[in-house]
Amino acid sequence: MSDASFLMPGIPMSDGTLPTVKQQLGEVGGSPALITDLKADEWHYDERLLFYTAVQNIEHNMPRVRFTMRELSRLDMIVVDGHLALVGEEFAEDMKGWALVQVVGERCSPQTIVTRCTLYEQYTTEEAIQTAVKSYGGLTEKL
């Protein structure tokens, strides 16, 4: 399992000096959505929106996360209560995660992944932790 990777909430995708774009999974008009706090009427002329998707797969009996990125336009988004959102069935998937990074000039927003994925939780039980400890030869005493 040393080569495994897990999709979980809070995985850092960018680190920058712009304000964090608050993002949450929810619904818009009954459809799954990624809802942001980006105001529809506030736009920077040199703004770019980088949309990261993380996908959790099982490869050779081991969990692996793969990332893709594509640039979006504000026209790709809809306005909900004055804020921008992405709507689509993919946001209901529990083996995917997303982060929308705002880039203005040379600066970007610090963003982390939002996801519905819970696969990682099975590896955080007390039993899983004890198995990991044993695989490393057990605990050692502090000196």
Side-chain angles (χ1 to χ4, degrees):
M1 293 296 289
S2 63
D3 292 330
S5 57
F6 295 95
L7 177 57
M8 61 184 84
I11 294 173
M13 290 307 302
S14 63
D15 186 26
T17 58
L18 291 177
T20 299
V21 176
K22 291 188 175 97
Q23 303 170 62
Q24 65 182 21
L25 295 170
E27 287 190 359
V28 172
S31 295
L34 176 70
I35 304 164
T36 76
D37 70 344
L38 287 173
K39 293 183 180 174
D41 60 354
E42 290 181 8
W43 177 80
H44 302 274
Y45 77 94
D46 57 349
E47 175 186 74
R48 295 172 52 215
L49 298 173
L50 305 181
F51 183 61
Y52 291 85
T53 301
V55 179
Q56 177 84 69
N57 290 307
I58 304 299
E59 300 173 8
H60 308 291
N61 294 320
M62 189 173 312
R64 298 290 266 209
V65 179
R66 305 284 182 204
F67 296 88
T68 59
M69 186 275 296
R70 64 186 167 113
E71 189 165 343
L72 296 181
S73 152
R74 282 182 173 244
L75 298 176
D76 295 318
M77 305 178 83
I78 67 165
V79 178
V80 178
D81 296 328
H83 295 92
L84 297 178
L86 291 165
V87 177
E89 289 304 314
E90 75 173 298
F91 299 112
E93 295 185 34
D94 62 1
M95 294 296 269
K96 288 186 174 182
W98 305 270
L100 183 67
V101 177
Q102 183 183 38
V103 179
V104 178
E106 297 295 317
R107 301 181 320 145
C108 72
S109 58
Q111 297 302 144
T112 60
I113 290 284
V114 293
T115 183
R116 299 179 193 281
C117 188
T118 59
L119 179 69
Y120 71 94
E121 290 176 351
Q122 66 185 302
Y123 298 97
T124 62
T125 65
E126 184 61 31
E127 180 182 348
I129 291 169
Q130 291 304 319
T131 300
V133 166
K134 287 178 188 172
S135 75
Y136 283 95
L139 296 175
T140 58
E141 289 187 38
K142 289 183 180 180
L143 297 176

